[in-house]
Amino acid sequence: MPAAERAEILMSLREVDHVVVFEEDTADRLIASLRPMCTPRAPTIVPHGAEEATVRSVGGQVAFVGDPKITRPAI
């Protein structure tokens, strides 16, 4: 699904204030610039992921949201 469509879906959620689409591999620069109070993460992402340290360095917290994904082993 194209990024613009994903952003539109996210913006339709009442709890979402703003969505930013970026080209970098991680959101570290964006997080350092915006200094969010909270950043959501899916529970399948490694708890100490690349951006978690950046979020914490600007005084924010990482909130794990949603259900863990069920995956099937490769056949």
Side-chain angles (χ1 to χ4, degrees), residues 43-57:
T44 55
I45 295 183
V46 178
H48 299 287
E51 297 143 354
E52 183 178 357
T54 305
V55 172
R56 295 191 192 289
S57 76

Side-chain angles (χ1 to χ4, degrees), residues 47-70:
H48 299 287
E51 297 143 354
E52 183 178 357
T54 305
V55 172
R56 295 191 192 289
S57 76
V58 299
Q61 63 179 352
V62 176
F64 289 90
V65 298
D67 295 327
K69 306 291 184 253
I70 298 172

Side-chain angles (χ1 to χ4, degrees), residues 14-36:
R14 178 180 28 170
E15 295 82 2
V16 175
D17 295 322
H18 194 75
V19 174
V20 176
V21 177
F22 57 92
E23 298 294 326
E24 292 85 7
D25 289 337
T26 70
D28 287 312
R29 276 187 16 188
L30 181 63
I31 291 166
S33 176
L34 296 177
R35 305 177 62 84

